[in-house]
mmCIF file of all heavy atoms in Angstrom:
data_model
loop_
_atom_site.group_PDB
_atom_site.id
_atom_site.type_symbol
_atom_site.label_atom_id
_atom_site.label_comp_id
_atom_site.label_asym_id
_atom_site.label_seq_id
_atom_site.Cartn_x
_atom_site.Cartn_y
_atom_site.Cartn_z
ATOM 1 N N THR A 21 1.675 -36.675 1.645
ATOM 2 C CA THR A 21 2.176 -35.312 1.513
ATOM 3 C C THR A 21 1.031 -34.361 1.202
ATOM 4 O O THR A 21 0.260 -34.597 0.264
ATOM 5 C CB THR A 21 3.213 -35.229 0.386
ATOM 6 O OG1 THR A 21 4.304 -36.095 0.698
ATOM 7 C CG2 THR A 21 3.713 -33.813 0.204
ATOM 8 N N ASP A 22 0.905 -33.309 1.992
ATOM 9 C CA ASP A 22 -0.086 -32.271 1.706
ATOM 10 C C ASP A 22 0.485 -31.303 0.686
ATOM 11 O O ASP A 22 1.610 -30.822 0.824
ATOM 12 C CB ASP A 22 -0.461 -31.499 2.972
ATOM 13 C CG ASP A 22 -1.393 -32.295 3.881
ATOM 14 O OD1 ASP A 22 -1.881 -33.346 3.427
ATOM 15 O OD2 ASP A 22 -1.616 -31.862 5.020
ATOM 16 N N PHE A 23 -0.292 -31.002 -0.349
ATOM 17 C CA PHE A 23 0.111 -29.979 -1.315
ATOM 18 C C PHE A 23 -0.472 -28.657 -0.848
ATOM 19 O O PHE A 23 -1.687 -28.489 -0.748
ATOM 20 C CB PHE A 23 -0.408 -30.319 -2.712
ATOM 21 C CG PHE A 23 -0.047 -29.303 -3.761
ATOM 22 C CD1 PHE A 23 1.076 -29.476 -4.551
ATOM 23 C CD2 PHE A 23 -0.814 -28.156 -3.944
ATOM 24 C CE1 PHE A 23 1.418 -28.535 -5.505
ATOM 25 C CE2 PHE A 23 -0.474 -27.215 -4.886
ATOM 26 C CZ PHE A 23 0.644 -27.405 -5.677
ATOM 27 N N ILE A 24 0.419 -27.693 -0.553
ATOM 28 C CA ILE A 24 -0.012 -26.386 -0.070
ATOM 29 C C ILE A 24 -0.282 -25.468 -1.265
ATOM 30 O O ILE A 24 0.562 -25.338 -2.140
ATOM 31 C CB ILE A 24 1.057 -25.763 0.843
ATOM 32 C CG1 ILE A 24 1.389 -26.728 1.997
ATOM 33 C CG2 ILE A 24 0.596 -24.418 1.391
ATOM 34 C CD1 ILE A 24 0.233 -27.063 2.898
ATOM 35 N N LEU A 25 -1.462 -24.853 -1.309
ATOM 36 C CA LEU A 25 -1.789 -23.941 -2.406
ATOM 37 C C LEU A 25 -0.826 -22.758 -2.381
ATOM 38 O O LEU A 25 -0.789 -22.008 -1.407
ATOM 39 C CB LEU A 25 -3.238 -23.441 -2.275
ATOM 40 C CG LEU A 25 -3.715 -22.517 -3.404
ATOM 41 C CD1 LEU A 25 -3.688 -23.245 -4.748
ATOM 42 C CD2 LEU A 25 -5.121 -22.003 -3.119
ATOM 43 N N PRO A 26 -0.010 -22.583 -3.428
ATOM 44 C CA PRO A 26 1.040 -21.559 -3.410
ATOM 45 C C PRO A 26 0.507 -20.187 -3.812
ATOM 46 O O PRO A 26 -0.678 -20.020 -4.128
ATOM 47 C CB PRO A 26 2.029 -22.076 -4.453
ATOM 48 C CG PRO A 26 1.145 -22.770 -5.445
ATOM 49 C CD PRO A 26 0.019 -23.385 -4.658
ATOM 50 N N ASP A 27 1.404 -19.192 -3.827
ATOM 51 C CA ASP A 27 1.067 -17.879 -4.371
ATOM 52 C C ASP A 27 0.761 -18.040 -5.853
ATOM 53 O O ASP A 27 1.585 -18.529 -6.616
ATOM 54 C CB ASP A 27 2.236 -16.908 -4.200
ATOM 55 C CG ASP A 27 2.507 -16.603 -2.727
ATOM 56 O OD1 ASP A 27 1.534 -16.357 -2.003
ATOM 57 O OD2 ASP A 27 3.669 -16.624 -2.327
ATOM 58 N N ILE A 28 -0.438 -17.629 -6.272
ATOM 59 C CA ILE A 28 -0.852 -17.802 -7.673
ATOM 60 C C ILE A 28 -1.112 -16.471 -8.343
ATOM 61 O O ILE A 28 -1.803 -16.402 -9.349
ATOM 62 C CB ILE A 28 -2.105 -18.695 -7.761
ATOM 63 C CG1 ILE A 28 -3.189 -18.214 -6.792
ATOM 64 C CG2 ILE A 28 -1.756 -20.132 -7.489
ATOM 65 C CD1 ILE A 28 -4.460 -19.038 -6.858
ATOM 66 N N GLY A 29 -0.535 -15.419 -7.825
ATOM 67 C CA GLY A 29 -0.691 -14.103 -8.421
ATOM 68 C C GLY A 29 -0.456 -13.040 -7.374
ATOM 69 O O GLY A 29 -0.766 -13.240 -6.193
ATOM 70 N N GLU A 30 0.082 -11.922 -7.809
ATOM 71 C CA GLU A 30 0.397 -10.835 -6.891
ATOM 72 C C GLU A 30 -0.878 -10.337 -6.212
ATOM 73 O O GLU A 30 -1.836 -9.920 -6.855
ATOM 74 C CB GLU A 30 1.068 -9.697 -7.660
ATOM 75 C CG GLU A 30 1.623 -8.620 -6.774
ATOM 76 C CD GLU A 30 2.410 -7.601 -7.564
ATOM 77 O OE1 GLU A 30 2.384 -7.675 -8.805
ATOM 78 O OE2 GLU A 30 3.031 -6.732 -6.957
ATOM 79 N N GLY A 31 -0.928 -10.392 -4.886
ATOM 80 C CA GLY A 31 -2.065 -9.897 -4.129
ATOM 81 C C GLY A 31 -3.218 -10.873 -4.016
ATOM 82 O O GLY A 31 -4.239 -10.565 -3.393
ATOM 83 N N VAL A 32 -3.105 -12.085 -4.610
ATOM 84 C CA VAL A 32 -4.185 -13.071 -4.559
ATOM 85 C C VAL A 32 -4.057 -13.901 -3.285
ATOM 86 O O VAL A 32 -3.013 -14.497 -3.036
ATOM 87 C CB VAL A 32 -4.149 -13.983 -5.806
ATOM 88 C CG1 VAL A 32 -5.207 -15.072 -5.704
ATOM 89 C CG2 VAL A 32 -4.342 -13.162 -7.068
ATOM 90 N N VAL A 33 -5.109 -13.930 -2.456
ATOM 91 C CA VAL A 33 -5.068 -14.669 -1.188
ATOM 92 C C VAL A 33 -6.033 -15.845 -1.173
ATOM 93 O O VAL A 33 -5.983 -16.678 -0.272
ATOM 94 C CB VAL A 33 -5.363 -13.734 0.004
ATOM 95 C CG1 VAL A 33 -4.285 -12.669 0.112
ATOM 96 C CG2 VAL A 33 -6.734 -13.083 -0.130
ATOM 97 N N GLU A 34 -6.942 -15.915 -2.143
ATOM 98 C CA GLU A 34 -7.881 -17.020 -2.202
ATOM 99 C C GLU A 34 -8.339 -17.199 -3.640
ATOM 100 O O GLU A 34 -8.127 -16.336 -4.494
ATOM 101 C CB GLU A 34 -9.094 -16.772 -1.287
ATOM 102 C CG GLU A 34 -9.929 -15.566 -1.690
ATOM 103 C CD GLU A 34 -11.091 -15.309 -0.753
ATOM 104 O OE1 GLU A 34 -11.085 -15.876 0.358
ATOM 105 O OE2 GLU A 34 -12.005 -14.547 -1.130
ATOM 106 N N CYS A 35 -8.968 -18.347 -3.893
ATOM 107 C CA CYS A 35 -9.461 -18.620 -5.239
ATOM 108 C C CYS A 35 -10.634 -19.576 -5.147
ATOM 109 O O CYS A 35 -10.844 -20.240 -4.124
ATOM 110 C CB CYS A 35 -8.351 -19.208 -6.114
ATOM 111 S SG CYS A 35 -7.663 -20.746 -5.458
ATOM 112 N N GLU A 36 -11.402 -19.640 -6.208
ATOM 113 C CA GLU A 36 -12.535 -20.564 -6.268
ATOM 114 C C GLU A 36 -12.124 -21.819 -7.022
ATOM 115 O O GLU A 36 -11.531 -21.744 -8.098
ATOM 116 C CB GLU A 36 -13.724 -19.908 -6.974
ATOM 117 C CG GLU A 36 -14.933 -20.829 -7.082
ATOM 118 C CD GLU A 36 -16.104 -20.185 -7.809
ATOM 119 O OE1 GLU A 36 -16.084 -18.948 -7.981
ATOM 120 O OE2 GLU A 36 -17.029 -20.929 -8.201
ATOM 121 N N LEU A 37 -12.420 -22.988 -6.438
ATOM 122 C CA LEU A 37 -12.098 -24.242 -7.102
ATOM 123 C C LEU A 37 -13.140 -24.501 -8.190
ATOM 124 O O LEU A 37 -14.322 -24.718 -7.901
ATOM 125 C CB LEU A 37 -12.081 -25.387 -6.095
ATOM 126 C CG LEU A 37 -11.717 -26.752 -6.660
ATOM 127 C CD1 LEU A 37 -10.300 -26.743 -7.187
ATOM 128 C CD2 LEU A 37 -11.884 -27.823 -5.638
ATOM 129 N N LEU A 38 -12.720 -24.431 -9.453
ATOM 130 C CA LEU A 38 -13.641 -24.626 -10.566
ATOM 131 C C LEU A 38 -13.883 -26.103 -10.857
ATOM 132 O O LEU A 38 -15.019 -26.544 -10.998
ATOM 133 C CB LEU A 38 -13.090 -23.954 -11.827
ATOM 134 C CG LEU A 38 -13.017 -22.429 -11.835
ATOM 135 C CD1 LEU A 38 -12.495 -21.955 -13.183
ATOM 136 C CD2 LEU A 38 -14.385 -21.826 -11.564
ATOM 137 N N GLU A 39 -12.778 -26.864 -10.929
ATOM 138 C CA GLU A 39 -12.913 -28.265 -11.353
ATOM 139 C C GLU A 39 -11.715 -29.067 -10.897
ATOM 140 O O GLU A 39 -10.572 -28.619 -11.010
ATOM 141 C CB GLU A 39 -13.019 -28.325 -12.882
ATOM 142 C CG GLU A 39 -13.111 -29.735 -13.442
ATOM 143 C CD GLU A 39 -13.064 -29.759 -14.966
ATOM 144 O OE1 GLU A 39 -12.847 -28.694 -15.572
ATOM 145 O OE2 GLU A 39 -13.227 -30.846 -15.534
ATOM 146 N N TRP A 40 -11.972 -30.243 -10.357
ATOM 147 C CA TRP A 40 -10.897 -31.200 -10.099
ATOM 148 C C TRP A 40 -10.651 -31.977 -11.385
ATOM 149 O O TRP A 40 -11.604 -32.490 -12.000
ATOM 150 C CB TRP A 40 -11.264 -32.170 -8.986
ATOM 151 C CG TRP A 40 -11.186 -31.585 -7.601
ATOM 152 C CD1 TRP A 40 -12.218 -31.272 -6.774
ATOM 153 C CD2 TRP A 40 -9.995 -31.262 -6.888
ATOM 154 N NE1 TRP A 40 -11.757 -30.749 -5.597
ATOM 155 C CE2 TRP A 40 -10.392 -30.727 -5.627
ATOM 156 C CE3 TRP A 40 -8.635 -31.350 -7.186
ATOM 157 C CZ2 TRP A 40 -9.483 -30.308 -4.682
ATOM 158 C CZ3 TRP A 40 -7.726 -30.918 -6.249
ATOM 159 C CH2 TRP A 40 -8.146 -30.404 -5.007
ATOM 160 N N LEU A 41 -9.410 -32.060 -11.812
ATOM 161 C CA LEU A 41 -9.048 -32.808 -13.012
ATOM 162 C C LEU A 41 -8.692 -34.252 -12.684
ATOM 163 O O LEU A 41 -8.390 -35.036 -13.585
ATOM 164 C CB LEU A 41 -7.875 -32.123 -13.723
ATOM 165 C CG LEU A 41 -8.101 -30.642 -14.072
ATOM 166 C CD1 LEU A 41 -6.860 -30.059 -14.742
ATOM 167 C CD2 LEU A 41 -9.315 -30.476 -14.960
ATOM 168 N N VAL A 42 -8.699 -34.581 -11.382
ATOM 169 C CA VAL A 42 -8.448 -35.935 -10.901
ATOM 170 C C VAL A 42 -9.445 -36.217 -9.785
ATOM 171 O O VAL A 42 -10.153 -35.323 -9.318
ATOM 172 C CB VAL A 42 -7.002 -36.107 -10.379
ATOM 173 C CG1 VAL A 42 -6.001 -35.857 -11.495
ATOM 174 C CG2 VAL A 42 -6.748 -35.156 -9.219
ATOM 175 N N LYS A 43 -9.455 -37.453 -9.326
ATOM 176 C CA LYS A 43 -10.284 -37.819 -8.168
ATOM 177 C C LYS A 43 -9.441 -38.634 -7.201
ATOM 178 O O LYS A 43 -8.343 -39.093 -7.539
ATOM 179 C CB LYS A 43 -11.525 -38.593 -8.600
ATOM 180 C CG LYS A 43 -11.258 -39.894 -9.326
ATOM 181 C CD LYS A 43 -12.561 -40.543 -9.748
ATOM 182 C CE LYS A 43 -12.322 -41.874 -10.465
ATOM 183 N NZ LYS A 43 -11.642 -41.697 -11.750
ATOM 184 N N GLU A 44 -9.923 -38.796 -5.981
ATOM 185 C CA GLU A 44 -9.177 -39.552 -4.986
ATOM 186 C C GLU A 44 -8.931 -40.973 -5.481
ATOM 187 O O GLU A 44 -9.847 -41.636 -5.976
ATOM 188 C CB GLU A 44 -9.938 -39.557 -3.659
ATOM 189 C CG GLU A 44 -10.004 -38.182 -3.009
ATOM 190 C CD GLU A 44 -10.748 -38.192 -1.675
ATOM 191 O OE1 GLU A 44 -11.201 -39.274 -1.264
ATOM 192 O OE2 GLU A 44 -10.867 -37.115 -1.049
#
Side-chain angles (χ1 to χ4, degrees):
T21 300
D22 284 350
F23 179 95
I24 304 299
L25 182 62
D27 294 315
I28 50 179
E30 189 173 8
V32 176
V33 297
E34 63 182 15
C35 59
E36 179 181 345
L37 182 64
L38 292 182
E39 178 186 6
W40 284 109
L41 305 179
V42 298
K43 60 182 181 294
E44 293 181 0

